Amino acid sequence: MTHPDAHGTVPGTVPVGGWTPWGTWDPAAGRPAAVPVPPVPAPAPSRVLPAALLAGGVVVGLSVAAVVGSLVLRGAADDVGRAAGAAMGESMGQSMGEALYGGAATEYHGSGGVLGPVEQSEPVPPADLGPDPVLDAYAQGCFDGDLQSCDDLFVESPPLSPYEEYASTCGGRVKAWTVPYCTDLD
């Protein structure tokens, strides 16, 4: 005869519930009954894919329409801008000519691009125009007769500076702002 162990189980037997103290399952003790799983119905035809394709087609169509529309409008806007700019340029050119030259001449005459005849005088030596040695060299070249130095001085000098004013007179040869470029005086 066999005696029960510390857990109250007789060796070689299986306690009620199916589990032994050492963790094995006794198939004779029974297993839980399997729960029947209802069959999964076949999926209904999807409406998501056709809707997604339709939405994608709409987005692509709108994108193409936006690109084409912007190109058409851009071309039209460029044409309108050019026409407005040309009209303003003509209008301002006449009024600027009248303002600067007393209305006497509004077209370029001669080959130098100078507006009408320009009264010239002897050059004036540059005074103390500022502390910049490069601009001082341009001013001296302008006084010495290098009219390109006058134009370079104008381009390189700070706005509204004595250097710019001296360059606008081509070294004292003309009234300020009389010619667009001193090299036009050649």
Side-chain angles (χ1 to χ4, degrees), residues 34-119:
V35 177
V37 177
V40 176
S46 175
R47 295 184 185 167
V48 173
L49 182 59
L53 290 175
L54 178 63
V58 168
V59 169
V60 170
L62 289 175
S63 298
V64 169
V67 169
V68 170
S70 67
L71 291 175
V72 169
L73 291 176
R74 179 179 174 199
D78 285 347
D79 293 342
V80 168
R82 284 189 189 98
M88 286 176 59
E90 291 173 11
S91 173
M92 289 183 71
Q94 291 174 353
S95 63
M96 290 299 287
E98 292 171 4
L100 291 175
Y101 308 108
T106 57
E107 296 180 14
Y108 283 106
H109 297 286
S111 62
V114 176
L115 189 59
V118 176
E119 184 180 331

